[in-house]
């Protein structure tokens, strides 16, 4: 992200001396409108993909789950779109930089607050048969524990600062996500052969 931010800052500084080139290069309102429209198109694509393809035959009908999935898909795809626009030199540099910061903090909000709280809320309600009060208390109580675990995971790469900058938050989250995926992968690599070994056994005869 530091390299991309430096690239955006250099382009913004260069834009003061000469007009920007590329698609919508000299029209910030067109760049903003294009990014806004593309973001909503990505949101609609993620919503339709979830509703009609991914979970078409399953009982995942809660509207907030579909919206969260679409928001996460749209923000992730929009950041990739901004990266391509930066490499290609299209759109207004200042608009790209602002959109990058907005999408970045939106993903941080989803990953740190909305998605874990939604996961605990849905899990508790499915187990306790719809207890809203208990699900709310569990979701609120889980968030500090989740944040502390993310902070501890950051110490693996020598991140001991308590700052709330976007770089530190994403770095800690990346280490935590990698650790969780590695743990689940190792568990699956051992558990699946152990539980299914009998299916591959063949009697040995003389």
């Amino acid at each position: 992200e530091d390299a991309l931010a430096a690239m955006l800052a250099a382009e913004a500084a260069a834009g003061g001396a000469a007009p920007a080139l590329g698609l919508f290069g000299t029209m910030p309102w067109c760049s903003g409108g294009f990014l806004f429209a593309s973001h909503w198109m990505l949101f609609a694509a993620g919503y339709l993909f979830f509703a009609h393809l991914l979970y078409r035959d399953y009982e995942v009908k809660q509207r907030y789950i579909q919206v969260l999935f679409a928001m996460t898909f749209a923000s992730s795809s929009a950041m990739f779109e901004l990266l391509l626009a930066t490499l290609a030199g299209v759109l207004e540099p200042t608009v790209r930089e602002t959109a990058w910061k907005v999408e970045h903090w939106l993903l941080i909000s989803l990953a740190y607050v909305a998605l874990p709280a939604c996961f605990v809320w849905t899990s508790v309600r499915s187990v306790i048969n719809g207890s809203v009060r208990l699900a709310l208390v569990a979701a609120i109580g889980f968030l500090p524990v989740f944040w502390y675990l993310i902070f501890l995971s950051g110490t693996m790469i020598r991140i001991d600062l308590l700052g709330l900058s976007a770089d530190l938050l994403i770095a800690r989250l990346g280490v935590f996500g990698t650790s969780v995926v590695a743990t689940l992968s190792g568990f699956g690599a051992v558990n699946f052969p152990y539980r299914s070994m009998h299916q591959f056994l063949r009697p040995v005869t003389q």
Side-chain angles (χ1 to χ4, degrees):
E1 182 196 354
D2 293 337
L4 182 61
M7 186 185 304
L8 291 171
E11 289 189 6
L21 299 178
L23 182 63
F24 306 140
T26 58
M27 296 179 290
W29 60 274
C30 287
S31 298
F34 176 79
L35 291 176
F36 182 80
S38 64
H39 184 90
W40 278 105
M41 291 177 62
L42 290 170
F43 178 86
Y47 187 89
L48 294 175
F49 174 77
F50 185 95
H52 297 287
L53 293 176
L54 189 61
Y55 284 98
R56 179 179 55 186
D57 300 325
Y58 297 90
E59 295 298 326
V60 182
K61 304 300 181 182
Q62 292 88 345
R63 185 64 57 87
Y64 62 90
I65 296 180
Q66 299 177 11
V67 171
L68 286 175
F69 177 86
M71 289 178 62
T72 306
F73 174 80
S75 298
S76 304
S77 301
M79 294 191 73
F80 181 68
E81 177 187 15
L82 290 170
L83 177 61
L84 294 179
T86 302
L87 296 176
V90 298
L91 305 178
E92 180 69 23
T94 55
V95 175
R96 291 202 311 264
E97 184 178 4
T98 302
W100 178 270
K101 292 179 180 179
V102 171
E103 300 293 349
H104 202 174
W105 280 106
L106 178 59
L107 281 177
I108 290 175
S109 301
L110 289 171
Y112 274 84
V113 181
L115 295 178
C118 176
F119 173 77
V120 175
W121 168 277
T122 305
S123 301
V124 172
R125 291 200 64 184
S126 63
V127 173
I128 311 300
N129 297 324
S131 178
V132 177
R133 181 178 301 178
L134 183 59
L136 181 61
V137 172
I140 296 176
F142 173 75
L143 287 178
V145 178
F146 177 69
W147 297 336
Y148 182 69
L149 291 176
I150 292 179
F151 173 77
L152 289 181
S153 65
T155 59
M156 298 180 183
I157 55 174
R158 308 293 183 178
I159 301 179
D160 300 323
L161 300 177
L162 295 177
L164 296 177
S165 64
D167 295 338
L168 291 177
L169 293 175
I170 288 294
R172 292 193 188 101
L173 188 64
V175 176
F176 180 78
T178 303
S179 302
V180 171
V181 171
T183 302
L184 294 177
S185 299
F187 174 79
V190 175
N191 184 65
F192 176 76
Y194 175 76
R195 295 177 65 90
S196 59
M197 186 70 71
H198 63 279
Q199 298 180 5
F200 303 98
L201 296 179
R202 294 292 184 271
V204 178
T205 58
Q206 293 293 336

